[in-house]
Amino acid sequence: MRVLVLGGTAEARALARALDERGFDLVSSLAGRVSNPALPVGQVRIGGFGGVDGLARYLRGERITQVVDATHPFAATITQHAAAACATTGTPLLVLRRPGWRNHWHNPWWHVPSVGAAAELLNDCGPSGTVFVTTGRRDLAEYAADTRHRFLVRTVDPPEGPVPPAMTLVLDRGPYTVPGELALMREHGVSVLVTKNSGGRLTQAKLEAAGELGIPVVMVDRPPLPAGVTVVSGVPSLLRQLEGG
Ligand code: NAP
C-alpha cells in the first residue's frame, strides 16, 4: 500500500507518525500556504496539484493505492478535489475529520454558514465593542467595511489585502491555554468571539474562556463534505480501517 496523506493539520502529522512507525509507504502533502510549516515525519511534498486532473495524474504517476484526506474541515476545495480524483482513478479514499465543537457552556452561540455571514451579523445586530476574530487572515476583507467595532485579529502569518479599519493584530499559532485566552480577552475588552468550527483541542481554549466570561460566539459552521465519502474521526479508527480491522 502506498498512502497519500493530504495534510496541513495536527491530525495529519499524528497519522503520518503512526503510519511511519507501522512501516507504511507514505507521502504527506501540504498546500504551502504558511511560512515555516510544522512538517510531518516521512516523505513530504509541498504545493498544489493543479486541480482534479493534476491530482489524478499525481495518484497514477506515484502509484498511490490509498488517499487519506486529513485536511482542515474548512479546506473544502481540496476535499472536493480529492473525492473527484479518487473517483476518476478508482483510488480508495478515507476522510479523517476531528469532531466539531459543541457548546458546553451557557453563553450564546450564533451559527452562521460563512465568514461573510458572520461579518454581516456583527454589522447588523452584533454587540458593540471589540470583536475577537480567529477565522484566518484570508477572510479579513469581509470585516473591512465595519466601522462600528474594534477588532482583535489573531492569525498565523500577517494578513494581506483589506483588513478591518480599527484592528489590533496578534500573530500566534497556538496551542492556546484557557488562562492565556482569558487574559487576552480581558486585556482587549472582547465583547464577542468569531471562530470557525474547526474542532480539536489545540484552539479550543478560546471557547472555554468565552464561556467563562459569558461572551457570545459567532460560530461559522463547517462546509458540507462530498456525498458518499467515508469519514473517520480519529487516528486509531483510521488505522483500523487501513489495516482491515
Ligand atoms: P482549499 O481552499 O481547500 O484548497 C485550495 C487549493 O490549495 C487546492 O485546490 C489545492 O490546489 C491546494 N491544496 C490545499 N490543500 C492541499 C494539500 N494538503 N496538498 C496540496 N495542495 C493542497 O485549502 P485551504 O483552505 O487554502 O487550506 C490549505 C491547507 O491549509 C490545507 O491543506 C489545510 O489542511 C490547511 N489548513 C487550512 C485551514 C483553513 O481554515 N482553511 C486551517 C488550518 C490548516 P490545487 O487545486 O492546485 O491542487
Side-chain angles (χ1 to χ4, degrees), residues 8 30-37 46-48 75 77-78 137-138 156-158 160 173:
L30 303 181
R33 287 274 188 282
V34 295
S35 56
N36 194 17
I46 298 182
T77 305
I78 189 69
R137 64 181 179 143
R138 275 186 291 160
V156 175
D157 285 320
E160 291 157 9
R173 76 162 73 218

Side-chain angles (χ1 to χ4, degrees), residues 6-9 29-31 33 45 47-51 71-72 74-78 81 138 196:
L6 299 169
T9 58
S29 176
L30 303 181
R33 287 274 188 282
R45 65 162 302 286
F49 295 97
T71 58
H72 191 272
F74 281 82
T77 305
I78 189 69
H81 288 184
R138 275 186 291 160
K196 295 174 177 172

Side-chain angles (χ1 to χ4, degrees), residues 154-156 171-177 181 202-203:
R154 185 167 64 197
T155 59
V156 175
L171 296 179
D172 205 348
R173 76 162 73 218
Y176 303 104
T177 63
E181 298 292 55
L202 298 185
T203 56

